[in-house]
Amino acid sequence: MAKTTRVKNKRLKAAAGSGKSRATGAPKWVGQPIRRVEEDRLVRGKGIFVDDQKLTGMLHIRFVRSSYGHAKITRVDVTKAAALPGVVCTLTGAEVKGLVKPFIEIGPDVGQKIADYPMAVDKVVYQGEPVAAVVAENRMAAEDAAELVEVEYEPLPPVMTAEDALKEGSLVHPGMGTNRNWHGVFEYGDMEKAFKQADHVVHIDRLHFHRFSSTPLECNAMIAVWDSRSERIEYWSNNSFPSFAAQFLSPALGVRIDQILMKSFDIGGGFGIKITNYPYMALCALASRKAGDRPVKWTETRTEHMQASAHGNERTFLDTRVALDKNGVITAIDSRHVDDCGAYPRYEPLGCVIWAQVLPGSYRVRNIRIDMNQVVTNKCPVGPNRGYSRMQQLWFLERVLDICGHSLGIPTDEMRLRNYIRKNEMPYETPNGCVYDSGDYAGMLAMGKTLVGWDDWKRKQAAAREEGRWIGLGIGSTLDSGTNNFGQARIINAGAPFSGQSKAAIAKLDIYGEVVISMGSVPQGQGHETTAAQVVADVLGVSPGHVKVKPGFDTEQNAYTGHTGTYASQFAVTGLSAIHGAATKLRKEMSRLAAWALKAKEKDLEFGVGAQGPEVRDKRSKKSINYWALANIVNVNNAGMPEKLWDVTLNCRHVYHAPFQLPDVKKKFGNLTLTYAAQIHVAVVEVDRDTFQPKILAYACVDDCGRAINPRIVEGQVHGCTAHGIGAALMEDCAYDGDGNLLASTFSDYTPITAMNMPDLLYGHMESPSPFTFNGAKGMGEGGAAPVHTICAALQDALYSKGVIINDSHNTGDSIFLAVQRAGTGGFASSVRIEHRRAAGRSAR
Amino acid sequence: MSQVPNARVEAVYFSSAGGETAVSSCLSAPIAIECARTTTNDFCRSPTADTRHPKRQAENIVYAHPFSYHRAGSLLEASELLQQLGEEARLIAGGQSLIPLMKMRMVRPSALVDINFIPGLSEIRCSDGQLRFGALARHADIEESDAASSIPIVQDCAAGIADVQVRNQGTIGGSLAEADPSGDWGAVLLTLETSVRCSRPSGERTIALDDFFKDAYTTVLGHDELISEIIVKQPAKNSAGAYLAFKRSAPVYATASAAVQLTLGDSDTCKDVRIVLGCVGLTAIRAKEAEKTLREKKLEKKRIDSAVEAVRAAAEPQDDMRGSADYKRVLIAALVKRAIGIAARRARGEQVEAGHEYVGR
């Protein structure tokens, strides 16, 4: 059924071709597993984090937060707090309302009717929402004063599930008139025909992807100074998408965007959720101004972080119908999805389209209809949590595949092989116009099975079943789509004024000949300083140690575009392309300059390292000039420099533009992402018959992110996302009770994964270079929550014969116990239904 | 009555006999770690301290309610300080529960009496068939002590309490005095002949551990009374135990824990047994019915199964983030069953691993 679509996108190919380095030969440093240069300072406690910064006259802000999930605010009284010695000023929601405009809403129609102020004004809509703030000389006084703020509430009925939200009984934002802030239907192919011709139709009533977060080691932190003399707001923050935050802050605070200065340095993890800490940035700026231009620092506590920073998106999949042919090949999927974005959309409803980057997952299915909905609820607002929006879709597809496979008696590995997009179909255009650049999913699966010892485990599983043990083998196939096209926002809101993707970098030869790179990216452990130096070293024929890379965002350095930040698995593509471009421009300038200085021809010059360090040599005369001398000519010794070289500044800025076009908004069709890294994990899990605890017996991860710039960093990222995913699958759950209380507001309750919970990982790596990037690399690091899919698959395999359907992404000993109980009374009987339309028989083998 | 510069901060326990409100699992390891690293100078703020001093501002990194800090030089001095300072004063030993609670302002003592500098309170020694732990013996010291290695159940417990930082700071005396329903030591020591030596201005007394716990977070200790020593009678040669605690992750309290000490007689007869259930009631629960089904009986599967049924009935768990009450009954039964098996094998002289277990592996 699956039809192969060859890609004829000239623009994509042209872009990759023109990016190829002419200046250099075979890479010497790119591809090497060198140690990260950042490591030394980070492991020695010499990193520079926001909380390490102490400015003269700096004040501390503490927020008074709602203990209710949904309540009317009837009174806020800061009198006693303001009177406490050491307190400089206070802020209340009513006051904040008078000082700022509500933040921009990305969503259209009803979404535009949400008034998102950084502080609750008339009512609170999630537990932990700030209702007042106190600013004091030190944190102790601020803490004491915050306790003296009196707030009275009148509780309102909270909206705690997606299904409840759709009932519209209680409204989170009455101005919207509904709880559904986005709706759209994504339909491709011929659904009717596919279901008519199906041999089997599988119905799945409800699947649920739970709410979890990333719990970075460093919580949100920022310092704001609203300086009335220079008329600018300076931020030192750990926001991970500063140019985006500035675009939200500028209209809200009523200042020009050039008045907002963003700065960052080391960041202790982010995983996406620090993108949406800008409401706090607004409050800190207001506090600074009210305190007479003094710096105001906010360092979030862990409980604040759990309750009121950002969680990952929760999604419910309803009334799914799957059409299959007699061989178990999926021909159509029809489903209704309800995403829960919590109390305020903020980065949302972008998640309502971002999943469509991986609409069919790794599979060839061409007929798909997804009725996509997003609702607001009385829970913490969501933020783009690692694997953002795609992992929910991938998990859904993996569940569909496993449930169908088990229902039809087709082994889950075979089920995948029959449905995977083939290596020879790459680049592959999906039904909605996305282009998978390269990949060999079947090859990755084979590697994963070999690593884990699949056949051997199959035998052990059969023997263990005889003994009554529950062992399951599971596969999780993921795509880590990277370098997003912001044009997809137009599918959400046709009027959204953004599209494409770009990054800027500056490469300069400083006065004494230092090679300095500024890039404006906001690394949180991804090793940007190292990989950038590897790329530049290859361009200039030096070693990475000769290249100084400045990490972090700095508005004044101007190495940014409106897309600059670290998100959406893209630095290896966009960041390094910008750096490569800037370094190539610098090399060209140095080459012109050296040709004049050495009285040589540019084509005879070679770049390398000589006795006096990095230099440019004339192959004919054997004469050379080092970097100091080159920089000296331009910067401080330029009398006599010929006019034709006056444009040489040795300070080269380059902007990389990803080769995107606008999507077709009506058809919801277009290339939404540039690269598709893949991870295929294989796990063996045993459920203890007595404790019902799942135990991982073996675990393999196979990664393909195209050409790896630094394989050591790639492997580290794979370990990190695997830990995150196992944590989400088995331990971490932002669970709320029916009254709107977060039940996991400390680490004692949330139990983020630790090394003690990790299995030994078997790691495999493949390289399918991307044809769309200059270096063949693909962005990676989000990992698509592969372990969540894999562990669910293994549990499904272990328990299918008991009648259990794994319908939630979070599984604990407790929930497995309840599921086995439920299965014992036929509780899952109606949740999955199979119609055999033709005489194809049950087994299709 | 002085501020102590650069003193190592240790943790705390409740010695209050007054009903301490049950605080749900709130030991947050990362917070505890941060506290443990903090010097007293940073967090012990005297009400009269000059908070405008710039250096002090920079160092204010823990956010407890104001309290005064007092270092006791002897048990008697500690008791007297507690008397003087009143009901709102607390003892601090290892601090691994109290400091996180103070930091979150869930408890706000007016004063801390630090007993970490009282000499001779950390010893672990064997004498006259007794194993004696000073109240300040750290979990890690116990884990590493030769004396403790002679009683496997003690080793099982000490080696896996929370994480390394907590084990290095937390004390056995503090753990018993805190009487957290999820504490490890209470359940383990109740399977042995344990008594608690306590000191107060009016003199000393020794209390059998069976009579020590009154309720969640509540012991029979008076406000000015503190534990000085924990005395455990060496079990007989043919006696062995096992402690199994199931935890979601290393730093948090167990979901359920089972402590079993078993004395074997001839031909696999259970001469004596003690079964104690942790985390499934307001205090550790002695499963006496379950013990009865095994005592003086041959250890057969059928008997063990009925003992496990009795365990299920004896447990009084509550729903929380660690698990539903129904599930905790299943879990405690499974843990007891395995602990009986391990204890029996150990009593026969086999070397068997046991201790704390974690989700996922």
Side-chain angles (χ1 to χ4, degrees), chain A residues 13-335:
Chain A
K13 285 183 182 166
S18 68
K20 267 212 176 86
S21 164
R22 290 184 198 88
T24 55
K28 186 177 165 199
W29 292 102
V30 166
Q32 296 301 315
I34 62 169
R35 283 198 176 279
R36 297 194 310 165
V37 299
E38 300 90 334
E39 264 161 19
D40 191 70
R41 79 165 181 274
L42 294 174
V43 301
R44 288 176 200 277
K46 290 182 174 173
I48 306 173
F49 298 90
V50 175
D51 201 44
D52 296 322
Q53 298 304 108
K54 293 176 177 72
L55 306 182
T56 309
M58 188 172 77
L59 302 170
H60 298 259
I61 191 167
R62 300 309 302 155
F63 297 105
V64 179
R65 294 173 181 278
S66 168
S67 45
Y68 289 92
H70 196 193
K72 225 170 108 180
I73 301 170
T74 54
R75 189 174 76 97
V76 180
D77 187 347
V78 293
T79 328
K80 285 181 192 156
L84 197 79
V87 172
V88 176
C89 65
T90 60
L91 285 173
T92 64
E95 195 180 346
V96 167
K97 189 186 177 188
L99 297 170
V100 301
K101 287 206 184 94
F103 289 115
I104 300 169
E105 292 294 334
I106 294 172
D109 313 322
V110 292
Q112 294 294 318
K113 293 177 183 158
I114 299 170
D116 181 3
Y117 287 100
M119 189 174 271
V121 179
D122 303 316
K123 68 170 196 165
V124 291
V125 287
Y126 64 97
Q127 186 181 51
E129 185 174 8
V131 290
V134 291
V135 181
E137 296 286 350
N138 60 63
R139 186 150 173 182
M140 284 292 193
E143 201 83 34
D144 292 345
E147 285 190 337
L148 298 175
V149 174
E150 291 168 9
V151 187
E152 282 171 21
Y153 301 95
E154 210 172 84
L156 296 165
V159 180
M160 297 314 294
T161 66
E163 280 108 326
D164 268 359
L166 288 174
K167 284 180 196 146
E168 313 278 19
S170 178
L171 294 182
V172 177
H173 300 290
M176 281 171 72
T178 171
N179 287 320
R180 186 167 75 165
N181 67 311
W182 200 82
H183 175 240
V185 177
F186 293 72
E187 183 166 352
Y188 309 94
D190 189 339
M191 296 296 290
E192 206 183 323
K193 192 172 147 200
F195 275 96
K196 222 165 142 187
Q197 293 180 346
D199 291 293
H200 312 279
V201 176
V202 175
H203 300 258
I204 307 166
D205 69 345
R206 183 181 188 269
L207 297 166
H208 175 253
F209 191 93
H210 78 297
R211 189 175 253 259
F212 64 94
S213 191
S214 308
T215 59
L217 204 56
E218 182 200 28
C219 296
N220 285 312
M222 57 194 63
I223 302 170
V225 193
W226 193 324
D227 186 335
S228 59
R229 293 162 306 171
S230 60
E231 294 186 326
R232 59 187 200 176
I233 305 168
E234 283 182 49
Y235 283 112
W236 186 292
S237 83
N238 59 13
N239 183 287
S240 54
F241 194 170
S243 55
F244 175 86
Q247 289 169 69
F248 271 66
L249 288 166
S250 160
L253 294 172
V255 298
R256 297 188 318 271
I257 203 158
D258 68 284
Q259 291 174 278
I260 299 175
L261 270 74
M262 297 281 194
K263 217 183 236 192
S264 69
F265 202 76
D266 288 319
I267 295 180
F271 315 98
I273 55 165
K274 286 177 180 166
I275 290 176
T276 46
N277 65 18
Y278 59 82
Y280 294 109
M281 298 177 83
L283 292 174
C284 289
L286 295 176
S288 170
R289 187 170 63 176
K290 194 171 177 189
D293 297 9
R294 289 175 69 179
V296 171
K297 180 192 269 187
W298 178 55
T299 312
E300 188 181 48
T301 67
R302 183 59 66 183
T303 295
E304 286 182 294
H305 185 80
M306 295 309 298
Q307 288 186 339
S309 60
H311 297 160
N313 296 53
E314 183 176 350
R315 199 170 292 170
T316 309
F317 310 88
L318 299 167
D319 311 324
T320 304
R321 283 194 307 151
V322 188
L324 299 104
D325 74 6
K326 63 182 189 324
N327 296 318
V329 171
I330 295 174
T331 54
I333 299 173
D334 183 11
S335 189

